[in-house]
Amino acid sequence: MNWQFGGIPLHPLFVHLTSVAVPVAALAAIAVAVWPAARRWLGVGGPIIGLVALVSVPLATSSGEWLEHREKETALLERHTELADGMLPWSIAVFALLVLWWGWHRFGAGRQKRTGVVRVISIIGPVLLVAVAVVSIVQVVVIGHAGAEAVWKG
C-alpha cells in the first residue's frame, strides 16, 4: 500500500493517533479498574476506546515500515522500529481486558453469588488492567522518544 497522501507520508498522522489513543485507552482501563463510577459512566466506551487504540497501532507500524524502506537506515531508526514492533501485544491486551472487564460487570458480576471465583476475579481483574495499562503507556512513550531521536538526531 502507498502510505502517503499528496506526497506526504501518513506515518506522522497515524503516530499521533496512536500516541493519543493508546494512553487514553490505558487511562480508561485504569479508571474502570479502580473506580466503579467510571465503569458505569464509560460503559461500553472503554472497550471502544481500546479498539481505536488497537486499530491505530497496525496503521502506525505499517505506515512506518513503508517509510523505513524510503529512509536511510540508522541505528536510531532501527531501535525505533524494533521497539514499535512490541506495541501491538500490549494494545491487544488492553483492549481484551477492557472488553472482559466490561462484560464481567455487565453480564456476570452482579448475577453471581460472592464465591471464591468472583472474589479472585474482582482482585486479579483490576491488577491486570492497571499493570497492562501502565506498561502500554510506558511503551508508547519509549517508542515515541526513540522515533523523535531517529528524526531529530538521525
Side-chain angles (χ1 to χ4, degrees), residues 24-35:
V24 169
L27 292 173
I30 292 168
V32 300
V34 301
W35 190 20

Side-chain angles (χ1 to χ4, degrees), residues 113-147:
K113 291 183 180 178
R114 289 288 173 189
T115 63
V117 173
V118 171
R119 284 190 206 111
V120 168
I121 291 173
S122 67
I123 293 169
I124 291 176
V127 170
L128 282 174
L129 270 167
V130 170
V132 168
V134 168
V135 171
S136 72
I137 291 172
V138 170
Q139 187 79 359
V140 164
V141 170
V142 170
I143 293 166
H145 182 72

Side-chain angles (χ1 to χ4, degrees), residues 4-107:
Q4 60 182 345
F5 182 75
I8 299 172
L10 290 172
H11 183 63
L13 175 68
F14 292 132
V15 164
H16 284 90
L17 173 62
T18 302
S19 64
V20 170
V22 169
V24 169
L27 292 173
I30 292 168
V32 300
V34 301
W35 190 20
R39 188 169 42 247
R40 288 186 298 275
W41 182 73
L42 278 173
V44 75
I48 290 171
I49 294 166
L51 180 62
V52 170
L54 174 59
V55 169
S56 74
V57 172
L59 291 172
T61 55
S62 293
S63 63
E65 288 170 2
W66 177 87
L67 186 58
E68 179 186 19
H69 295 298
R70 283 147 183 81
E71 294 293 323
K72 179 184 169 197
E73 190 170 327
T74 65
L76 292 172
L77 182 58
E78 185 64 31
R79 180 173 184 270
H80 171 64
T81 57
E82 286 176 6
L83 289 169
D85 288 339
M87 188 66 233
L88 187 59
W90 294 108
S91 295
I92 291 170
V94 168
F95 172 66
L97 289 172
L98 276 167
V99 169
L100 290 171
W101 196 240
W102 170 78
W104 172 255
H105 285 282
R106 176 75 170 97
F107 302 110

